[in-house]
Amino acid sequence: MAVMPRTGEEWTVDDLDRLPDDGLQYELLDGLLLVTPAPVLAHQRAIGNLHLLLRAACPPGYEVFLSPVDWRPDRRTSLQPDVLIVRNEAVATQNITAPLVLAVEVLSPSTRRKDLLLKRSKYEESGVRSYWVLDPAEPSLLALDLQEGAYVATPHARGAERAALATPFPVDVVPAELVRPAP
């Protein structure tokens, strides 16, 4: 991940919209441009499998999206969670500006620091209800829920036990199954 400073003024979503479509991922975080290479196949496999799982469990009134979809809570921020869930009424024609119900990031060597520190902080500050971090190298899942303005780790649970936690999507997530190739 590269951070691109700007001389004189900060980057805005208007500047971001003028960048080329060159296969790189461009995100803004509080006026700083973050540039990340295209994800590797293991990363794509994990988000694809998680998307299928979440979509199957998605209750009415919510929608599941895959990156690249821009979430723009302000003019100086445009992030692309790997998987995101929003209420139907938050879906616009181009970008999402409302707080997310769930943001999911899949770690890779080039995004680990950005996902665990920078994006986590912005999601928390912006009221994103739940934040999941999937690490395909382990494989493991860190599930965080917003409580009184701060993220609290939710114990990984399965079945009825997970449903009892009252998280937005009580699904059985088995991280090892998300990173396996299809048979």
Side-chain angles (χ1 to χ4, degrees), residues 52-70:
L52 292 173
L53 183 68
L54 289 171
R55 186 161 180 197
C58 193
Y62 295 90
E63 194 162 354
V64 183
F65 289 97
L66 286 170
S67 182
V69 171
D70 289 315

Side-chain angles (χ1 to χ4, degrees), residues 1-175:
M1 173 191 71
V3 175
M4 304 296 288
R6 188 162 193 189
T7 308
E9 54 187 81
E10 296 177 329
W11 290 85
T12 68
V13 294
D14 297 328
D15 299 318
L16 189 69
D17 290 339
R18 289 190 285 272
L19 292 175
D21 184 6
D22 58 5
L24 296 174
Q25 181 186 53
Y26 295 98
E27 297 178 290
L28 286 180
L29 183 62
D30 295 331
L32 290 176
L33 180 65
L34 308 175
V35 184
T36 309
V40 297
L41 294 178
H43 180 276
Q44 291 301 90
R45 179 183 299 124
I47 67 169
N49 288 335
L50 186 57
H51 176 263
L52 292 173
L53 183 68
L54 289 171
R55 186 161 180 197
C58 193
Y62 295 90
E63 194 162 354
V64 183
F65 289 97
L66 286 170
S67 182
V69 171
D70 289 315
W71 173 63
R72 295 183 172 180
D74 58 61
R75 296 209 24 83
R76 298 172 47 236
T77 302
S78 181
L79 299 176
Q80 295 179 357
D82 291 318
V83 179
L84 60 101
I85 298 175
V86 293
R87 292 184 177 281
N88 287 350
E89 62 266 14
V91 177
T93 56
Q94 190 171 4
N95 304 304
I96 295 169
T97 57
L100 305 175
V101 175
L102 173 64
V104 180
E105 299 291 353
V106 176
L107 299 180
S108 63
S110 64
T111 66
R112 179 174 291 277
R113 186 167 169 233
K114 174 178 72 166
D115 293 340
L116 291 173
L117 299 173
L118 302 176
K119 285 182 142 184
R120 175 186 170 157
S121 175
K122 188 64 178 186
Y123 292 146
E124 186 176 57
E125 166 190 311
S126 299
V128 174
R129 195 160 120 199
S130 293
Y131 178 44
W132 293 359
V133 180
L134 176 66
D135 187 347
E138 302 248 343
S140 64
L141 176 72
L142 172 64
L144 301 166
D145 290 312
L146 198 60
Q147 294 179 12
E148 297 178 19
Y151 280 135
V152 175
T154 303
H156 183 70
R158 302 203 49 179
E161 193 178 317
R162 176 86 179 145
L165 293 173
T167 59
F169 294 90
V171 296
D172 289 342
V173 177
V174 181

